[in-house]
Amino acid sequence: LARGSFSKNSGRAVLTIAMIGVGIGAIIWMRMLAYSFETSLVHALSAALQGDWVVTSANITQGYLEAPVDEHLVPEIIEVEGVAEAIGERLVDWQYADGPIAIDAFDSHYFLTSAFGRWPLIGTAQQDIWEAVSAGRAILVSSSFAVNLGVGVGDVLRLDTPQGPLSVPVAGITVNFSSPRGTVVMTRDLYRHYWNDAQVNRVFVRAVEGADVAAVRDAIARELGISYGLRIVSAHDLIDYFAAQVRRAFAPLDVLAVLLLVVLLLGLADTLAASVLERTRELAVTRSLG
């Protein structure tokens, strides 16, 4: 009976199987997308943003980005007892090719040492990439920038700045999620000169080897916390915060998955009901035969 039913209504059977496959596949795809993005973000940030403490303003300007503070905070942090090194970062939104991008600028020393991490490179890169970027002779662009705007290693990027056009070659491609359209990574000396901006959003701090890391944090908070209105977190906590923001962004996918499952069940019920109604005579004969 089952074989005969399938041969007579093969189209409906294939439709039912396809409906189940597409529904379950779509739900799995959405969950994999969210997990993949979060994992990629954590991997990239864990490699690029390291340090014992991250010092930022306690105020948030937009979304996840901390309010900028004066760059003099960096040398003042270095003067705190127990601090070995400090690196400033400035992250801003900008316009390029009639669309939004992000500019992520770090102190030049960041690119010369791996003590604070390094942005992972994708594909080929200029041979002296870190020295060139540190000296302001070259920049990095994110993979999204390369894909969306057709820019590759060796191309000269022309940015319109408050001080006029800036033409600088691309030394490498990295992973940076600051902007979905693309991000430019450069030294803060170059950024300060062309954008007339002497501020930082974050300061990454490394304590002296063997020093009490918690005591260093307390010293920074005590000496500079009130005057600058600071928040001090660990690099691990900062990355966890970004991962939590990703999970919040993908939270509606759970609602979509439930709605998709409901539609799938309704469609499956409709298909099975139609199949049963068309076979009432066959089912009656089968019941009468026992």
Side-chain angles (χ1 to χ4, degrees), residues 238-273:
L238 181 66
I239 294 173
D240 284 345
Y241 169 75
F242 289 142
Q245 297 305 307
V246 172
R247 288 191 290 271
R248 287 182 58 187
F250 281 99
L253 288 183
D254 294 332
V255 179
L256 292 178
V258 172
L259 293 176
L260 185 60
L261 182 61
V262 170
V263 172
L264 170 65
L265 293 176
L266 290 176
L268 186 61
D270 178 71
T271 302
L272 293 176

Side-chain angles (χ1 to χ4, degrees), residues 14 31 40 65 96 100 125-126 132 147 157 177 182 198 200 203 206 231 242 249 251 283 289:
V14 171
R31 298 310 307 165
S40 300
L65 187 60
Y96 175 78
Q126 185 175 316
V147 171
L157 193 65
F177 298 93
V200 294
V203 180
R206 276 203 172 276
R231 178 186 66 155
F242 289 142
L283 293 174
L289 293 175

Side-chain angles (χ1 to χ4, degrees), residues 145-168:
F145 193 102
V147 171
N148 293 329
L149 299 169
V151 176
V153 176
D155 294 342
V156 176
L157 193 65
R158 186 181 184 277
L159 295 169
D160 292 326
T161 76
Q163 289 286 354
L166 166 64
S167 297
V168 60

Side-chain angles (χ1 to χ4, degrees), residues 120-132:
L121 298 176
I122 300 175
T124 59
Q126 185 175 316
Q127 186 173 3
D128 59 341
I129 177 171
W130 301 117
E131 292 79 5

Side-chain angles (χ1 to χ4, degrees), residues 8-252:
K8 293 178 181 179
N9 300 286
S10 58
R12 179 176 289 113
V14 171
L15 178 62
T16 303
I17 295 173
M19 186 183 303
I20 296 174
V22 170
I24 296 177
I27 294 173
I28 294 175
W29 173 79
M30 288 189 292
R31 298 310 307 165
M32 288 182 62
L33 176 66
Y35 175 77
S36 175
F37 187 83
E38 180 182 344
T39 303
S40 300
L41 176 73
V42 171
H43 173 74
L45 295 183
S46 298
L49 306 179
Q50 299 177 12
D52 294 315
W53 297 109
V54 183
V55 182
T56 71
S57 170
N59 301 314
I60 302 296
T61 55
Q62 56 183 8
Y64 66 91
L65 187 60
E66 303 88 352
V69 298
D70 191 274
E71 66 176 6
H72 288 102
L73 174 64
V74 180
E76 289 186 35
I77 288 178
I78 295 177
E79 293 298 323
V80 175
E81 184 179 358
V83 174
E85 295 179 280
I87 293 293
E89 177 192 10
R90 181 68 168 119
L91 181 60
V92 296
D93 294 325
W94 199 246
Q95 291 287 316
Y96 175 78
D98 300 323
I101 63 169
I103 296 178
D104 201 358
F106 293 83
D107 287 342
S108 58
H109 183 64
Y110 169 84
F111 300 102
L112 296 178
T113 177
S114 59
F116 292 92
R118 278 182 174 169
W119 290 105
L121 298 176
I122 300 175
T124 59
Q126 185 175 316
Q127 186 173 3
D128 59 341
I129 177 171
W130 301 117
E131 292 79 5
V133 175
S134 175
R137 301 193 308 268
I139 59 173
L140 304 176
V141 297
S142 66
S143 54
S144 56
F145 193 102
V147 171
N148 293 329
L149 299 169
V151 176
V153 176
D155 294 342
V156 176
L157 193 65
R158 186 181 184 277
L159 295 169
D160 292 326
T161 76
Q163 289 286 354
L166 166 64
S167 297
V168 60
V170 176
I173 298 174
T174 185
V175 180
N176 191 305
F177 298 93
S178 300
S179 171
R181 189 166 181 261
T183 304
V184 176
V185 180
M186 64 175 65
T187 178
R188 208 164 60 81
D189 293 334
L190 185 66
Y191 171 79
R192 184 195 302 109
H193 175 73
Y194 279 91
W195 274 264
N196 300 319
D197 184 357
Q199 300 181 105
V200 294
N201 296 94
R202 306 183 187 109
V203 180
F204 296 88
V205 179
R206 276 203 172 276
V208 174
E209 186 176 357
D212 187 344
V213 176
V216 172
R217 180 193 183 279
D218 294 339
I220 296 174
R222 182 175 58 254
E223 297 181 23
L224 304 172
I226 296 178
S227 58
Y228 282 96
L230 300 179
R231 178 186 66 155
I232 306 174
V233 299
S234 67
H236 181 269
D237 290 340
L238 181 66
I239 294 173
D240 284 345
Y241 169 75
F242 289 142
Q245 297 305 307
V246 172
R247 288 191 290 271
R248 287 182 58 187
F250 281 99

